[in-house]
Amino acid sequence: MAFSPLDPAVPDCRPPLATPSRPRHALPAGACDTHCHVFGPADVFPYAEGRSYTPPDAPYARMAALHAHLGVQRAVVVQANCHGNDHAALLDALAQSQGRYRGVALLGADATAASVRQLHDGGVRGARFNFVPHLGGAPDPAVFDHVIGLIAPLGWHVCVHLDGAMLPELLPRLRALPVPFVVDHMGRIKAADGLDAPAFRALLALERVPQAWVKVSGIDRIASGKRPFAEGIPFVRALVDALPERTLWGTDWPHPNVAGDMPDDGELADAFFLACPDAETRRQVLVDNPARLYGFL
């Protein structure tokens, strides 16, 4: 049974900006937003029982309109905690995109080879695990291993959503995986701690781990919370410089559970241009890298 979208027992999160700015710089053809979410609509795709937040509806049509506004032609829709393991909204979005979008799933102990194959046929290419406390903390190791066993034969990757301080402890386990792994949102490091902070140095050290990728998404989550989040730009630049062939960019639209200013997605695109002024490297991050990892044609 699903909760009502207005269930008072579950905290709400704010909606994204209704009118984001248009980027000042044109994105290259084939640019990909590798981290966004689709929410509901709740009357068609109810939110999950036991979820930790209730989002405002952010359906496929609104997401596609944002991408057209930004000049984004491809995207990766990441299954959100509020929909749990019910991927109906995600699969509907991928089908409507007609091959322009890929997906990342949330899988649990009940996942089977047949259910994972169904997701694969629908355009899913990765599985995400939340390690952050506000989304339930670290997964059961047995469930983690079960899911890895199911996705490895299909060539999927793993997304890990963690706090940067966790990375040194988790890295030996991640390095032993038979699949690539992607660290979401720059490991949620804190810009205020500086470029030499141990957590960020551990993230930069992933340049020596061939199966490791990093998303330079969530710049607002590592910064002070005040637009345009300029203090996050040196961290994006450092990661692009360290892992140019394994860095991915994403908006994180519609920005669930943002504590500070609601991001302007046009400003987020402009921030990436400031962090990555070289056109060839920008194309690599925005086009070539996601095409390789997610299998875009």
Side-chain angles (χ1 to χ4, degrees):
M1 178 179 177
F3 275 127
S4 159
L6 300 178
D7 192 317
V10 182
D12 293 338
C13 59
R14 293 178 291 153
L17 294 183
T19 55
S21 64
R22 192 178 299 278
R24 294 193 301 271
H25 310 277
L27 300 180
C32 183
D33 175 359
T34 68
H35 199 104
C36 50
H37 307 283
V38 62
F39 296 149
D43 60 348
V44 180
F45 304 112
Y47 300 121
E49 186 173 1
R51 68 191 182 280
S52 58
Y53 64 92
T54 298
D57 285 347
Y60 168 80
R62 189 170 177 191
M63 178 171 59
L66 171 78
H67 287 150
H69 177 76
L70 298 178
V72 166
Q73 295 174 308
R74 297 168 173 168
V76 180
V77 185
V78 178
Q79 176 77 351
N81 172 272
C82 62
H83 277 298
N85 294 337
D86 181 350
H87 295 90
L90 171 66
L91 290 173
D92 177 74
L94 301 189
Q96 290 193 65
S97 79
Q98 299 183 325
R100 294 187 304 111
Y101 290 8
R102 295 285 188 263
V104 172
L106 288 179
L107 301 177
D110 60 346
T112 65
S115 67
V116 172
R117 168 54 71 175
Q118 183 180 25
L119 292 171
H120 183 86
D121 292 344
V124 175
R125 294 296 182 268
R128 191 187 200 208
F129 287 94
N130 288 302
F131 288 81
V132 291
H134 74 274
L135 294 177
D140 182 325
V143 173
F144 187 86
D145 291 342
H146 169 66
V147 170
I148 296 301
L150 293 174
I151 71 173
L154 296 175
W156 286 19
H157 64 276
V158 171
C159 283
V160 289
H161 184 203
L162 47 76
D163 289 324
M166 302 174 180
L167 187 58
E169 179 183 351
L170 288 173
L171 189 54
R173 187 175 185 188
L174 295 173
R175 292 184 71 156
L177 291 175
V179 298
F181 66 91
V182 180
V183 178
D184 283 348
H185 301 330
M186 297 182 273
R188 298 180 70 107
I189 55 93
K190 294 179 175 59
D193 292 340
L195 291 167
D196 290 324
F200 190 63
R201 302 312 299 180
L203 202 59
L204 290 177
L206 293 180
E207 67 176 315
R208 299 191 293 272
V209 182
Q211 71 271 36
W213 297 65
V214 176
K215 283 183 190 173
V216 289
S217 54
I219 191 172
D220 57 294
R221 299 185 187 276
I222 75 167
S224 66
K226 297 295 183 183
R227 287 173 49 196
F229 316 115
E231 63 269 43
I233 289 175
F235 295 83
V236 175
R237 182 179 298 121
L239 286 165
V240 171
D241 288 347
L243 295 92
E245 297 180 351
R246 288 178 279 123
T247 298
L248 305 159
W249 173 82
T251 62
D252 194 28
W253 186 90
H255 312 288
N257 303 307
V258 167
D261 291 348
M262 183 58 61
D264 178 316
D265 295 283
E267 290 179 354
L268 296 181
D270 289 334
F272 181 70
F273 269 74
L274 290 174
C276 185
D278 177 71
E280 183 176 344
T281 305
R282 279 200 308 272
R283 177 176 176 79
Q284 186 170 37
V285 173
L286 295 174
V287 182
D288 299 340
N289 291 352
R292 182 159 47 98
L293 184 64
Y294 298 103
F296 288 108
L297 299 177

